[in-house]
Amino acid sequence: MTDVVVPQRLRSGDRVAVVAPSGRVDAQRLEIGIEHLKGWGLEVEVMPSVLAGHERLSYLAAEDKARAEDLRTAWLDARFTAVFCARGGYGVQRMLEYVDFDELAAVPKWFIGFSDITALHEPLNARGLVTIHGPMAAAVEQLAVADGRERLRALLFEPESVTDLLAPAGARTVAGGVAEGRLGGGNLALLATSLGTPTYAPPAGVVVLEDVNEDGYRVDRLLTQLLRSGWFDEVTGVVVGDFSEAEDPIADVVHERLEPLGVPIVEGAAIGHEALNLAVPLGLPVRLDGTAGTLTPLW
């Protein structure tokens, strides 16, 4: 099994980079978010393509190669100790062919983002690098929530202080028991659409699942595709995060599809697209206690 690599913790005075691998970024939102990062004593540099825009496609931050090159440049620049994504949206999958993940994983540093950014977490975690699924640089609503902002800061600056990844919001038991393994997963739609691609990396351990704007039948379809593909074959436990802005309840779908796995499952975790988004370290070994509703990082 690939060794786990945890990047060095951040310190006041460190310089970090902001990249935009996905959707178009609003400059005002980004400016507000950067002020939060500066409040932690960080120096922040925004990479050139973040606010460039795509010549033809308004939903992309910039051209595919430009976004990939900015990611590479920021990652390999020794001045930067972390790389923050500006936002999610859509676009990461378009640029994956231009990213050398072996090259990036050989230079461990913190990488932060969620939603569409799942497509980058997955291959990095598969190479042993621990990354952070959490609020991004232009996620102003999430960075404005003290508990979520403090969780992200703690993981970056003093990770040993985080002892329960589901606290303070907690989670509800669906299926009890205890499971261990590396934490994987992320955005359900992105995980399903990576099947059969060169960056596909099925998890072996505990997984977290979240999504937005996916109604019950679509969640059913996505989970069914993962189940039929064997994606859950080595999953030892499941943490169900937020399924935001769905027109119908998702809980029944999740229970019906995932309880037959026979593994510990909790739901209602504050992980996803709601204002309170508790950052979690993907790729890190964890212990899920489905009965107690706790998720312990095994640093």
Side-chain angles (χ1 to χ4, degrees):
M1 180 178 289
T2 305
D3 292 336
V4 174
V5 179
V6 180
Q8 291 187 350
R9 66 185 64 198
L10 301 190
R11 293 174 173 81
S12 180
D14 280 354
R15 178 176 290 272
V16 302
V18 176
V19 298
S22 300
R24 183 180 291 268
V25 179
D26 179 273
Q28 185 175 9
R29 290 174 60 86
L30 180 60
E31 184 178 354
I32 294 170
I34 286 175
E35 288 304 310
H36 286 292
L37 305 186
K38 289 181 177 179
W40 298 340
L42 298 174
E43 298 181 17
V44 183
E45 184 171 325
V46 178
M47 300 304 289
S49 71
V50 171
L51 299 172
H54 190 285
E55 184 177 351
R56 298 179 63 189
L57 304 177
S58 62
Y59 50 82
L60 295 174
E63 300 290 334
D64 297 341
K65 288 185 178 179
R67 288 180 283 120
E69 184 58 31
D70 269 1
L71 174 63
R72 180 179 187 272
T73 298
W75 200 294
L76 300 182
D77 191 329
R79 296 178 303 143
F80 301 126
T81 55
V83 178
F84 282 80
C85 294
R87 60 158 299 190
Y90 168 77
V92 167
Q93 289 180 311
R94 291 175 51 108
M95 54 167 264
L96 290 177
E97 63 186 285
Y98 305 118
V99 180
D100 184 338
F101 289 100
D102 290 331
E103 180 183 49
L104 299 188
V107 185
K109 59 182 57 178
W110 284 117
F111 177 66
I112 303 96
F114 77 102
S115 195
D116 198 53
I117 310 303
T118 295
L120 290 169
H121 287 302
E122 192 175 24
L124 290 168
N125 297 155
R127 288 161 174 79
L129 185 64
V130 176
T131 59
I132 292 181
H133 179 288
M136 296 171 278
V140 294
E141 293 86 1
Q142 296 178 328
L143 289 173
V145 177
D147 284 339
R149 186 174 66 250
E150 172 56 23
R151 163 62 63 77
L152 178 58
R153 187 205 66 80
L155 284 180
L156 292 171
F157 286 83
E158 45 187 13
E160 73 286 345
S161 70
V162 181
T163 58
D164 180 7
L165 294 165
L166 303 183
R172 302 181 298 275
T173 300
V174 176
V178 176
E180 292 190 359
R182 296 186 187 182
L183 186 62
N187 182 265
L188 177 60
L190 268 294
L191 294 168
T193 53
S194 76
L195 295 175
T197 67
T199 54
Y200 169 57
V206 179
V207 296
V208 58
L209 301 173
E210 65 83 28
D211 217 318
V212 62
N213 289 322
E214 297 288 359
D215 291 332
Y217 78 94
R218 291 200 291 266
V219 171
D220 190 324
R221 180 171 59 202
L222 294 166
L223 289 173
T224 299
Q225 184 168 351
L226 290 178
L227 287 163
R228 296 185 67 226
S229 75
W231 190 89
F232 282 99
D233 286 356
E234 295 188 59
V235 167
T236 59
V238 180
V239 176
V240 181
D242 291 315
F243 278 76
S244 305
E245 301 178 29
E247 292 184 1
D248 46 31
I250 301 300
D252 288 343
V253 175
V254 172
H255 293 188
E256 197 274 342
R257 291 278 71 196
L258 298 187
E259 283 187 56
L261 293 174
V263 302
I265 304 173
V266 298
E267 65 182 358
I271 301 169
H273 286 74
E274 296 296 325
L276 176 58
N277 180 357
L278 295 176
V280 295
L282 296 179
L284 187 77
V286 296
R287 180 183 297 112
L288 171 65
D289 188 326
T291 305
T294 60
L295 184 65
T296 305
L298 303 177
W299 299 105

